[in-house]
Amino acid sequence: MDNIKAITVRFDLSKERDYAVWEHLHKVGKSRFKTCSNAVIEEIKNYISLTDTVELLNDKNIYP
């Protein structure tokens, strides 16, 4: 079990942002990735890849 780690995320569904993410994970995420855990991991991975790419492009001065 040393290869499995857990993190708890709390959503305040009275907040529009939290509610939107909750809905996305449970509707789109579960149907696309089969579980909420997989959806969270894939969405974070995609975000990191995107931000890394933008930072790399900015470092190369492609964007003024």
Side-chain angles (χ1 to χ4, degrees):
M1 264 330 229
D2 288 338
N3 291 332
I4 298 174
K5 304 292 182 192
I7 187 170
T8 301
V9 178
R10 290 183 175 87
F11 294 87
D12 180 347
L13 299 182
S14 67
K15 294 181 180 178
E16 187 176 332
R17 179 201 62 184
D18 291 19
Y19 184 80
V21 173
W22 176 266
E23 286 293 310
H24 175 79
L25 290 173
H26 283 83
K27 289 182 178 175
V28 177
K30 279 178 96 171
S31 65
R32 195 164 154 205
F33 302 112
K34 307 298 183 228
T35 68
C36 282
S37 290
N38 286 337
V40 169
I41 292 166
E42 285 298 319
E43 296 288 2
I44 292 171
K45 181 178 85 58
N46 291 338
Y47 175 79
I48 290 169
S49 294
L50 177 63
T51 56
D52 285 350
T53 300
V54 169
E55 287 176 7
L56 179 64
L57 292 174
N58 285 337
D59 288 347
K60 293 185 180 218
N61 294 319
I62 292 175
Y63 294 120

